[in-house]
Amino acid sequence: MSKYALAKELLESGYEKGKELSLDEADVAEVMVVQSIQELIRVKGAKYVKEFLKYEADSVSEKNVFEIQRR
């Protein structure tokens, strides 16, 4: 299993648990991003996370082609 498949599996599990709390998928995805960022700061430090997030944000396209997905 790849790390991306693992993340997808965890996200889908979060969606199911979120339904029990009346949360939609966007709410669940947002809080998972926030928690992941906080954990990454703890593990790798703020400087690393700022650079990582800038790269990822710069890779988002309005044309539904995401550099993020190509890694």
Side-chain angles (χ1 to χ4, degrees):
M1 172 181 287
S2 74
K3 61 184 176 183
Y4 297 102
L6 172 61
K8 180 74 173 167
E9 185 178 299
L10 293 171
L11 191 56
E12 289 172 0
S13 173
Y15 292 154
E16 291 302 314
K17 291 183 181 193
K19 286 180 189 175
E20 297 170 13
L21 300 171
S22 300
L23 298 172
D24 65 21
E25 289 182 354
D27 289 331
V28 173
E30 287 173 356
V31 299
M32 290 186 81
V33 167
V34 170
Q35 284 302 121
S36 295
I37 290 169
Q38 291 176 353
E39 184 64 12
L40 196 53
I41 290 169
R42 183 187 73 76
V43 173
K44 294 280 238 175
K47 183 176 188 257
Y48 171 87
V49 174
K50 285 180 184 180
E51 291 171 7
F52 173 80
L53 291 174
K54 179 166 179 12
Y55 173 82
E56 296 297 346
D58 289 347
S59 298
V60 175
S61 168
E62 294 295 326
K63 296 178 182 154
N64 294 325
V65 176
F66 306 103
E67 186 67 28
I68 295 167
Q69 296 172 337
R70 294 184 189 163
R71 285 209 238 164

